[in-house]
Amino acid sequence: MAIAVGSIVEGVVTGITNFGAFIELPDKVTGLVHISEVADAYVKDVRDYLKEQDHVKVKVIHVDEKGKIGLSIKQANPSPRVNRERRQPTVSFEDKLAKFIKDSDERQLDYRRATESKRGGRGSGRY
């Protein structure tokens, strides 16, 4: 079986390093899953996600001229992306504008109070 870029194959983890994991593919070919391609989340230690002899599904993302094979676990198992804005209740433009104006007025009032107290307030008696 030829390893083609873009194909998804199953392999076995044969080694784990600080920078990724080596995966043995069919036909006894070995490829590397870089630490950045292990999971969608930040991966500090590959051992938190994989151990030797794990069977994993990987996607071939590149094969260089020397025959080195780059693999990705996260691209082979895409997690559904959740649009967080959809979870929030829809707020009309008018409601957003009213909230903005209210917040702005409160900030201006706080600013005026702070600057007046530094100047000595109104009617300081200066002429």
Side-chain angles (χ1 to χ4, degrees):
M1 175 179 142
I3 303 298
V5 174
S7 62
I8 296 178
V9 294
E10 183 142 341
V12 179
V13 178
T14 57
I16 297 176
T17 66
N18 292 335
F19 55 85
F22 290 98
I23 311 294
E24 184 177 304
L25 303 173
D27 297 337
K28 305 296 183 196
V29 178
T30 301
L32 174 70
V33 175
H34 187 266
I35 191 169
S36 64
E37 293 293 331
V38 171
D40 283 332
Y42 173 72
V43 177
K44 186 173 183 176
D45 186 3
V46 178
R47 290 168 187 84
D48 293 340
Y49 291 85
L50 299 171
K51 62 182 186 289
E52 289 192 29
Q53 301 305 314
D54 277 353
H55 289 267
V56 292
K57 191 165 55 166
V58 293
K59 180 176 182 179
V60 179
I61 53 176
H62 69 83
V63 178
D64 71 7
E65 61 277 351
K66 294 180 183 177
K68 292 183 180 179
I69 302 169
L71 305 170
S72 173
I73 294 173
K74 72 179 183 181
Q75 290 181 33
N77 305 305
S79 62
R81 304 259 186 235
V82 177
N83 187 350
R84 294 173 191 227
E85 292 178 346
R86 290 185 185 172
R87 285 194 231 161
Q88 297 174 351
T90 56
V91 180
S92 70
F93 175 76
E94 289 78 15
D95 292 339
K96 288 180 182 180
L97 182 61
K99 183 181 181 318
F100 172 79
I101 291 171
K102 180 181 173 226
D103 291 345
S104 178
D105 288 343
E106 288 173 0
R107 284 191 206 108
Q108 285 180 354
L109 184 60
D110 289 342
Y111 177 76
R112 283 190 201 120
R113 286 183 184 149
T115 56
E116 285 177 5
S117 66
K118 291 178 183 175
R119 286 189 291 168
R122 294 187 184 166
S124 61
R126 290 192 227 172
Y127 291 96

